[in-house]
Every structure is written in C-alpha cells, then in structure tokens.
Amino acid sequence: MTESITVLGATGSIGVNTLEVIAQHPERYSVFALTGNRQLKKLAGQCAEHNARYAVVNDAASADQLTTMVAERRIATEVLYGEQALKEVAADTQVDIVMAAIVGAAGLVPTLSAIKADKKVLLANKEALVMAGLIFMQSLRRSKARLLPIDSEHNAIFQCLPSSYMNGDQSGVSKLILSASGGPFRSWSMQQMDSATPEQACAHPNWRMGSKISVDSASMMNKGLELIEARWLFDTPVNRIEMIVHPQSIIHSLVQYIDGSVIAQLGNPDMRTPIAHGLAWPERIDSGVRELDLCEIAGLSFEQPDRKRFPCIDLAYHAASAGGDAPTVLNAANEVAVDAFLNRRIGFTQIAEVVEETLSQFSFSEPDSLQAVQYSDQKARTVSDSLIGQFKG
Ligand code: NAD
Ligand code: MG
C-alpha cells in the first residue's frame, strides 16, 4: 500500500519540490489532492502527471477553467474550490500525509484541518504557526497528528535534537542556533536597500523560492518568523534561540549542548532534503539531492546578524517576547507590507517601518480561539493598509 498525500500549495516552490521527491518513489507514495491558487495550467499538468483524485482552487471561476483543462487532458481529477474544500482534502480519511505549503495566513485553516484529522503534517507554511502559535500547538497536542518541520533550519534542529527533547526533557541542551544566509542584501548599506527593487530582493544567492519568502529573506524577517516558529515547534523560550549568519547555507542549523558539544546538520541547499526527511521519517529515502562535497565548498564562514540594517530581527524578538497576538500582528503587517513592496507601492526599507508602526498601535492580548486569531490578523491588515496609504501620500 502506498501512502496517500495531499499537497496544499502544489504549484509553489515547495509544492513542486515535494512532487519531485514523490515521483521518485511511486512504490511508497501516491497523490490524493493537489491545490493551487493562480497557476491553473501548471496545476492541470501536475494533476495529469501525478494522477490526482482531487484538485482544489480558490474560486468558482478558476474551478471552471481548471475543469476545462482537466477535460482536455482526459484525466479523472475532480475539481473543487473554496476553503471548505481545502479543509476536506486535508482531512479526508484516505489521506495519510499532508504537505502544508500554502504561503501566508491562507494556509492556517487547512493546516489545522489536517492536524485535527490526525494526519502526518509536513509544515512548510511557517506563517500559520507564527500567527496562531498557541492554538496551533494546542490543536496538535489534542490530536494524534505528527508535525514534521520542513523549513530547512527547523528540520535541521529536529535532526540534531535528542528525541527526549520533543517529549519535554530539555536538560542537556543549552541553545538552538538558527542559520541565516543573510539574503541578497547581506552586505548592502541602508541607502542601497532604500532603493532596492523587488527583482533584487527576490534574487536570493542560495535558494530559489516563492516571492514572499524571498523578500522575507532579504529583510531577514524570515529569520524573525523562524525564531517564532522554533519557539513553538520546540517549546523553547526565545532567549535560548539564537541566529548566526552563514552565507554558504551548508550548515542548516545547530544545537548547542551543555557539555560543549555542538551538533549541526549539513547539506547542499536544496529543499528536497528536508522534504524527503519529513516524508519518510523516521526512515530515510533518496531525495535526488547531490551529495555534499566539503572539499569543493572548502570554506564555511559565520558572522553576527546586523540588527541595525535588518530591524525586522528585533521586531520579531520583541513580538515573540510580548507574546499573545503580537506575532499575529507582526505576521499580518509583514504580509501586507511585502505585498505592497512587490507591487511597488512602498520601498524595501518601509517594510520594517510598516511592521513597527502597526505593532505600536496594538495592545496585545492572548487569542484563545481561531476566530480571535483571525480577528487580530484582519485588524492588523487594516492598520497596515492605511499606513501604506499614508506613506504613498
Ligand atoms: P510559493 O509562492 O512558491 O507558493 C505558494 C503556494 O501557495 C502556491 O501553490 C499558491 O498557489 C498557493 N497559494 C498562495 N496564496 C494562496 C491562497 N490565498 N489560497 C490558497 N493557496 C494559495 O511559495 P513557496 O516558496 O513554495 O513557500 C510556501 C511556504 O513554505 C511559505 O510559507 C514559505 O515561507 C515556506 N517555505 C518555503 C521555502 C522555499 O524554499 N520555498 C523554504 C522554507 C519554508
Ligand atoms: Mg528557512
């Protein structure tokens, strides 16, 4: 019997990499459902190639278009649309594994649906955990779901930690250390970053990724989101999570032990490694990634992150320490600001300004339900939108 997989966000960078790994192991994995938002032709092609039972898109018009494409290809995929359909393909009794690879807050509800249905959930969609950390982890604890980190840093830490750590025994470990590449603007001045274009921000030196996470890497908000992601995934206080800039992206993160040992996970920068790890865990499968050649790499270097030039790092530390819905607000403001930057409505360095100003307009409280999280998320989006309007004027 193969394991049946739903890929939420199949048309994105993580989705495509996931399908590549799955295709190498037809004896182990089969596709149940694929979901996508805008790239309908690509989704139709994926459904044909992987023989998907269901495809899910966002609205009725896209569903009509996709249905036509599916009919032209004479494939049996059934086309559905809307949030309820996303929840259903994530929770269907026939599904074993759900890859959560929708970008942003839109991924939260279907990911929670997979958790509540006790699936093996592969989490790439860090924003879902950042915005709703407490209720996300409560849902996980109440379920029989297994959550496996796909973000390369968190996947690395998961591989470097003793299994007892995940069961609450944190003795022996002193720190989690997140690697950061530093992004495309690692050595740029503030003035240079002021006039940075979306194309420059998306030109990541080591990873090819979707545009939102690429901009987050350029501003280093990505590392800030990852700090909050690690805080929840590993139930570790933020003062025991550090960041180090490592431009080669070969060491994906490290765990420091109290006896002086440091355990790191290394590999070529290719998301198929953490994806294969999550898919097969606790076994190992071939990911298609080239073997690491340390002599070819020759040198690994490290530096402190520059918190002055990358103010998003401190914004994330502050939000993480403030707790409650501060990370929800941080994440929402960042999503709105990154979108405005990608649409050339604000400059690159204004992303951090929008986030900071939005955070300053809130007094934080603990959201105790999904509705409360969504309320804070929406409110923060409204505030950020209006700030961006003022910036332009
Ligand atoms: P992407 O932009 O390439 O793909 C996003 C996917 O989400 C697409 O399939 C798109 O159709 C879908 N989507 C977007 N908006 C949607 C909406 N409103 N409703 C439903 N579906 C929607 O992004 P990506 O680079 O693949 O990243 C996906 C997630 O994985 C992000 O949360 C990112 O932070 C995380 N991640 C990515 C990488 C990477 O290497 N790309 C690494 C670590 C973590
Ligand atoms: Mg990462």
Side-chain angles (χ1 to χ4, degrees):
M1 272 290 279
T2 60
E3 286 187 287
S4 183
I5 304 183
T6 284
V7 183
L8 302 168
T11 53
S13 156
I14 292 286
V16 167
N17 277 307
T18 302
L19 291 174
E20 263 183 53
V21 178
I22 289 173
Q24 290 175 59
H25 303 280
E27 73 298 346
R28 279 186 83 116
Y29 306 115
S30 59
V31 168
F32 180 77
L34 299 177
T35 87
N37 187 10
R38 298 215 179 99
Q39 300 180 74
L40 302 179
K41 227 189 207 160
K42 186 169 179 180
L43 185 57
Q46 291 178 328
C47 288
E49 192 182 336
H50 298 277
N51 204 10
R53 281 264 308 269
Y54 295 99
V56 184
V57 291
N58 277 20
D59 52 51
S62 307
D64 281 348
Q65 282 184 51
L66 187 65
T67 303
T68 309
M69 292 176 191
V70 161
E72 280 166 7
R73 289 165 197 263
R74 297 178 194 286
I75 50 175
T77 307
E78 193 176 323
V79 177
L80 310 169
Y81 69 91
E83 191 169 79
Q84 185 55 32
L86 284 176
K87 283 171 71 173
E88 282 166 14
V89 296
D92 195 287
T93 51
Q94 293 184 49
V95 172
D96 302 297
I97 303 176
V98 174
M99 166 55 85
I102 290 175
V103 61
L108 175 62
V109 168
T111 305
L112 284 177
S113 170
I115 287 173
K116 286 177 188 151
D118 301 330
K119 303 305 179 194
K120 176 172 174 181
V121 179
L122 276 44
L123 184 73
N125 180 202
K126 67 191 87 183
E127 296 90 347
L129 186 52
V130 170
M131 76 184 280
L134 185 64
I135 68 147
F136 191 112
M137 295 311 285
Q138 281 173 345
S139 292
L140 181 68
R141 274 192 285 273
R142 275 192 222 116
S143 74
K144 294 195 193 78
R146 165 57 78 166
L147 188 67
L148 290 159
I150 297 303
D151 211 349
S152 56
E153 297 75 4
H154 305 73
N155 183 269
I157 288 173
F158 181 70
Q159 294 195 49
C160 298
L161 281 172
S163 56
S164 54
Y165 197 89
M166 302 302 283
N167 298 325
D169 176 8
Q170 301 194 348
S171 61
V173 170
S174 57
K175 263 187 241 163
L176 310 182
I177 305 169
L178 296 166
S179 298
S181 69
F185 303 154
R186 182 172 59 88
S187 51
W188 286 35
S189 68
M190 283 302 261
Q191 283 96 322
Q192 284 174 305
M193 283 194 268
D194 269 337
S195 51
T197 64
E199 291 72 21
Q200 289 169 322
C202 289
H204 197 281
N206 305 341
W207 302 93
R208 262 180 298 126
M209 310 179 286
S211 52
K212 195 265 175 180
I213 184 177
S214 297
V215 175
D216 285 345
S217 301
S219 70
M220 293 201 70
M221 181 59 96
N222 185 47
K223 218 45 57 184
L225 298 176
E226 290 182 356
L227 165 82
I228 300 168
E229 183 185 12
R231 178 250 173 278
W232 290 112
L233 279 175
F234 306 116
D235 192 19
T236 299
V238 283
N239 62 10
R240 292 208 289 117
I241 308 173
E242 291 182 0
M243 301 171 181
I244 185 139
V245 174
H246 162 49
Q248 296 83 16
S249 296
I250 296 296
I251 294 180
H252 298 303
S253 279
L254 316 90
V255 172
Q256 166 94 56
Y257 286 79
I258 54 173
D259 62 3
S261 300
V262 176
I263 300 189
Q265 187 258 356
L266 285 73
N268 284 315
D270 188 320
M271 289 307 293
R272 289 175 300 173
T273 296
I275 290 167
H277 175 267
L279 279 170
W281 184 88
E283 295 169 26
R284 295 271 179 175
I285 54 169
D286 187 358
S287 63
V289 174
R290 199 163 63 92
E291 261 185 24
L292 184 62
D293 182 340
L294 283 170
C295 294
E296 189 185 300
I297 291 156
L300 299 177
S301 60
F302 306 94
E303 53 195 68
Q304 285 292 338
D306 184 338
R307 292 167 174 237
K308 275 224 171 72
R309 279 186 305 126
F310 298 101
C312 288
I313 297 176
D314 279 344
L315 291 173
Y317 268 105
H318 290 150
S321 311
D325 57 357
T328 318
V329 173
L330 174 96
N331 178 66
N334 183 57
E335 283 193 31
V336 170
V338 169
D339 188 65
F341 169 67
L342 284 169
N343 288 302
R344 297 182 159 76
R345 291 173 60 215
I346 59 171
F348 179 74
T349 49
Q350 287 179 313
I351 295 172
E353 291 174 33
V354 170
V355 175
E356 182 171 13
E357 187 53 36
T358 305
L359 281 167
S360 76
Q361 295 195 20
F362 278 75
S363 50
F364 306 117
S365 60
E366 191 64 71
D368 54 4
S369 65
L370 177 60
Q371 289 68 30
V373 169
Q374 288 169 329
Y375 178 77
S376 299
D377 174 78
Q378 278 310 321
K379 209 169 135 197
R381 283 169 198 269
T382 308
V383 170
S384 310
D385 262 334
S386 89
L387 284 169
I388 288 165
Q390 290 165 25
F391 274 178
K392 272 209 88 186

